């Protein structure tokens, strides 16, 4: 009987960021040493738990700074590996068409030319009215519930322990892992209020999605507007088509407003006329609607080594992914684990 391994690696949070962090640790065989403390886990649905509400696709929403480009690129390669070798993960390659009513971040676009398969800028004559730029390429679509449960199962099979609790202060993690080798802090938008973290740079970017039945739609299409963000994100393996949306900074409104639903249906039908077979929004077959709070942060996501307040215990922050937790999350989690490895005795 192997000696009882004590859990010495703690993770706060079981959204896509916390789960992916644990997944990488499991790849090192560290699953039995990992304990995840989280109020919500993948079987939960709550406006306070962002990950289930994502589309999800891989688009060029993220910033053009070095960190954002690095995390997108690492995750693009990881998603390609999963799409090629692990169909059960819910990740597939897909055609992306992305349009802008204003000039995009050309640093970001330049980075895409070096790694996004089949990348092509659209000739001006192909741009719809009022669009200044557009491109196509091969990126990814993710069936989010399937992907979260795929990772969740790997973690449970790898010996990771889950504690379904809300903590008030980051140091409360010591009640569950008294002498941690390292703690990972992955609380999403709640980094804004978690005691001992209370990151004043973190804020919600409110989203509202309408998931419809439209199995004929295979392409993901987005239009970055001066006054609106319109996107169509099919979820592969019969997951419906996620339509959006809104990018409302600092907005904590938890309610769904019917006028917003109609606005999303109208804009997406204009963006892709075949979405409702060239009929209007009244032809939409709605499966569900949801509001979600993207965990945004002034200055971009925080992936940083710290220590539990008033202690020597290493603390790695990994939060603030905003609208990119799936398309950049593996890169963020990879860098978080690299920060922690010097403290973890692997041998
Ligand atoms: C409408 C919408 C569409 C999106 N589409 C895409 C997309 O197409 N592609 C993409 O890449 N991204 C997309 N995103 C962004 C993506 O969903 C987020 O970046 C991602 O879900 C953030 O994950 P997270 O793990 O940081 O946060 P969360 O999923 O919110 O997880 C946070 C975890 O921490 C736990 N927690 C927090 N505080 C405490 C506490 N005090 N005690 C215990 N546990 C705590 C929670 O219970 C939860 O388990 C979208 C987001 C929205 C809202
Ligand atoms: N078009 C635009 N600015 N945003 C689309 C973003 C889609 C998805 N990442 C999200 O909803 O976060």
């Amino acid at each position: 009987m192997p000696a009882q391994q004590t859990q010495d690696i703690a993770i706060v949070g079981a959204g896509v960021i916390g789960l992916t962090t644990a997944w990488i640790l499991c790849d090192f065989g560290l699953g039995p040493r990992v304990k995840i403390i989280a109020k919500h886990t993948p079987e939960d649905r709550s406006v306070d738990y962002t990950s289930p509400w994502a589309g999800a696709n891989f688009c060029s929403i993220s910033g053009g700074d070095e960190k954002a480009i690095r995390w997108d690129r690492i995750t693009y390669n990881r998603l390609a590996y999963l799409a090629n070798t692990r169909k059960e993960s819910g990740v597939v390659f897909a055609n992306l068409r992305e349009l802008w009513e204003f000039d995009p971040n050309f640093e970001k676009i330049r980075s895409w030319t070096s790694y996004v398969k089949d990348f092509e800028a659209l000739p001006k004559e192909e741009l719809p009215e009022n669009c200044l730029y557009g491109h196509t390429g091969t990126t990814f679509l993710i069936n989010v519930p399937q992907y979260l449960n795929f990772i969740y199962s790997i973690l449970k099979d790898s010996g990771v322990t889950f504690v379904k609790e809300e903590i008030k202060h980051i140091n409360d993690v010591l009640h569950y892992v008294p002498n941690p080798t390292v703690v990972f802090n992955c609380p999403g938008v709640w980094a804004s209020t978690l005691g001992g973290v209370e990151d004043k740079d973190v804020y919600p970017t409110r989203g509202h999605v309408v998931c419809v039945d439209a199995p004929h739609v295979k392409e993901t299409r987005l239009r970055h507007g001066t006054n609106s963000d319109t996107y169509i994100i099919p979820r592969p393996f019969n997951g419906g088509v996620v339509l959006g949306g809104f990018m409302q900074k600092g907005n904590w409104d938890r309610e769904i407003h019917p006028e917003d639903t109609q606005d999303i249906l109208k804009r997406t039908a204009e963006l892709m006329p075949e979405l409702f077979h060239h009929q209007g929004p009244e032809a939409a077959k709605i499966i569900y609607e949801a509001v979600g709070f993207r965990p945004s942060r002034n200055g971009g996501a925080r992936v940083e080594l710290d220590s539990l307040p008033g202690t020597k215990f290493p603390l790695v922050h990994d939060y603030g992914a905003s609208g990119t937790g799936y398309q950049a999350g593996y890169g963020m989690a990879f860098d978080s684990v690299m920060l922690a490895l010097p403290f973890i005795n692997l041998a």
Side-chain angles (χ1 to χ4, degrees):
M1 183 70 172
Q4 177 61 28
Q5 184 92 43
T6 53
Q7 277 116 8
D8 62 325
I9 300 172
I11 299 175
V12 174
V16 69
I17 300 297
L19 295 173
T20 303
T21 303
W23 191 9
I24 296 172
L25 292 168
C26 288
D27 286 343
F28 285 95
L30 296 171
R33 294 173 57 180
V34 176
K35 184 174 283 186
I36 296 180
I37 299 98
K39 182 179 176 184
H40 300 106
T41 44
E43 65 272 24
D44 294 323
R45 294 296 177 266
S46 164
V47 67
D48 296 331
Y49 180 37
T50 304
S51 289
W53 305 126
N57 74 359
F58 185 111
C59 73
S60 58
I61 179 184
S62 46
D65 60 284
E66 193 184 329
K67 289 189 305 182
I69 290 174
R70 169 183 168 78
W71 292 329
D72 270 0
R73 188 163 190 163
I74 292 173
T75 311
Y76 186 95
N77 293 334
R78 173 69 175 183
L79 292 173
Y81 162 75
L82 293 173
N84 280 325
T85 66
R86 304 297 297 272
K87 307 275 188 253
E88 69 277 22
S89 65
V91 178
V92 298
F93 288 104
N95 295 328
L96 163 108
R97 177 176 286 262
E98 204 166 10
L99 304 161
W100 279 263
E101 294 175 2
F102 49 87
D103 279 338
N105 182 315
F106 282 108
E107 270 310 299
K108 164 61 72 185
I109 305 302
R110 222 181 321 280
S111 75
W112 270 40
T113 58
S114 64
Y115 72 91
V116 172
K117 271 164 49 89
D118 313 317
F119 175 84
E120 278 189 29
L122 290 174
K124 287 240 179 289
E125 58 272 18
E126 275 192 39
L127 293 175
E129 196 178 352
N130 299 328
C131 284
L132 294 184
Y133 172 82
H135 61 215
T136 56
T138 297
T139 69
F140 302 95
L141 287 170
I142 299 170
N143 181 314
V144 161
Q146 183 175 342
Y147 185 67
L148 292 174
N149 284 318
F150 170 73
I151 303 171
Y152 199 24
S153 301
I154 289 172
L155 302 187
K156 287 186 274 191
D157 292 347
S158 303
V160 172
T161 306
F162 286 85
V163 175
K164 232 167 134 75
E165 291 287 349
E166 178 176 8
I167 58 172
K168 297 295 180 210
H169 190 285
I170 188 68
N171 285 21
D172 292 344
V173 74
L174 297 175
H175 298 315
Y176 305 97
V177 182
N179 188 25
T181 299
V182 62
V183 177
F184 291 90
N185 180 35
C186 310
V189 75
W190 305 109
S192 56
T193 56
L194 177 59
V197 181
E198 297 156 279
D199 188 333
K200 298 309 171 216
D201 282 320
V202 169
Y203 61 90
T205 297
R206 179 178 179 274
H208 171 172
V209 287
V210 183
C211 186
V212 299
D213 180 34
H216 58 290
V217 175
K218 304 299 178 199
E219 177 186 276
T220 180
R221 194 173 297 177
L222 306 101
R223 181 170 176 142
H224 303 258
T226 44
N227 299 314
S228 62
D229 289 282
T230 306
Y231 52 88
I232 297 163
I233 305 178
R235 281 180 168 179
F237 310 110
N238 298 318
V241 180
V242 172
L243 308 178
F246 294 95
M247 308 290 277
Q248 296 167 327
K249 295 189 176 187
N251 186 327
W252 284 108
D253 181 357
R254 304 160 71 89
E255 300 307 314
I256 287 173
H257 303 287
E259 63 274 20
D260 290 343
T261 306
Q262 291 310 312
D263 180 35
I264 288 171
L265 293 176
K266 177 174 174 296
R267 286 190 276 125
T268 49
E270 287 164 359
L271 179 59
M272 184 185 280
E274 65 272 28
L275 173 63
F276 303 128
H277 303 294
H278 299 275
Q279 299 169 57
E282 62 283 353
K285 294 178 195 139
I286 296 177
I287 300 170
Y288 70 83
E289 294 192 68
V291 165
F293 299 127
R294 298 175 187 84
S296 300
R297 183 171 183 269
N298 296 320
R302 185 183 188 192
V303 175
E304 185 183 11
L305 182 60
D306 192 359
S307 54
L308 276 186
T311 79
K312 316 179 301 318
F313 297 124
L315 172 66
V316 178
H317 297 290
D318 185 356
Y319 59 82
S322 192
T324 71
Y326 288 84
Q327 70 173 65
Y330 187 85
M332 291 169 61
F334 179 85
D335 279 354
S336 299
V337 170
M338 291 304 116
L339 286 171
L341 275 187
F343 303 98
I344 299 173
N345 176 8
L346 286 175

